Amino acid sequence: MNGAVEYQWHLRRLMADRGMFNTTALRPLLAERGVNLSASQIYRLVTEKPERLSVATLAALVAILGCTMDELIEVVAAKPAAKSAVAGERRSAAKPGRNSDIGVRRPVRARVIDSDS
């Protein structure tokens, strides 16, 4: 592993597997275990992949759902970073060249030729 860590957050799926379809159902269960989060914090916890998570919250979720940490957080192989441009190469990530997939579909810019020359 090259140091980059990717993971998938399965809280929403685990909740659905246990018949919990509303984020509001999680709030009193967390409060019983001493984790007091606002409704918006719980919504973000369920619908988004958290970047930071306290161990107390993680332990409470595992206890509530009756699952393991491996079921809640799945570590996956990180995708390799895109190769950087070689020195002197004119293409950039923002404007793909003719050899990229998008470049093939892009129209060719018209050149206006002065008829007086």
Side-chain angles (χ1 to χ4, degrees):
M1 190 176 271
N2 61 0
V5 178
E6 288 289 324
Y7 62 95
Q8 291 182 351
W9 182 242
H10 297 293
L11 178 58
R12 182 173 233 163
R13 182 181 53 81
L14 290 170
M15 286 176 63
D17 289 347
R18 284 145 182 85
M20 298 173 66
F21 299 102
N22 294 323
T23 58
T24 55
L26 204 52
R27 192 172 187 188
L29 298 172
L30 286 168
E32 287 175 8
R33 289 160 178 82
V35 178
N36 295 307
L37 298 175
S38 69
S40 62
Q41 288 173 317
I42 293 173
Y43 178 80
R44 286 193 308 270
L45 185 66
V46 172
T47 60
E48 298 173 10
K49 183 169 80 169
E51 295 296 321
R52 292 179 300 276
L53 184 66
S54 73
V55 176
T57 304
L58 181 60
L61 289 171
V62 167
I64 291 166
L65 297 170
C67 65
T68 64
M69 286 188 219
D70 290 341
E71 292 172 310
L72 188 58
I73 304 169
E74 178 187 0
V75 179
V76 294
K79 295 178 184 175
K83 292 183 179 183
S84 59
V86 178
E89 191 172 312
R90 294 181 61 203
R91 294 184 205 121
S92 69
K95 292 186 176 183
R98 296 254 176 250
N99 294 332
S100 72
D101 291 340
I102 294 174
V104 174
R105 294 177 184 89
R106 211 170 273 215
V108 177
R109 177 174 270 186
R111 292 187 319 171
V112 177
I113 301 172
D114 188 14
S115 60
D116 293 337
S117 328

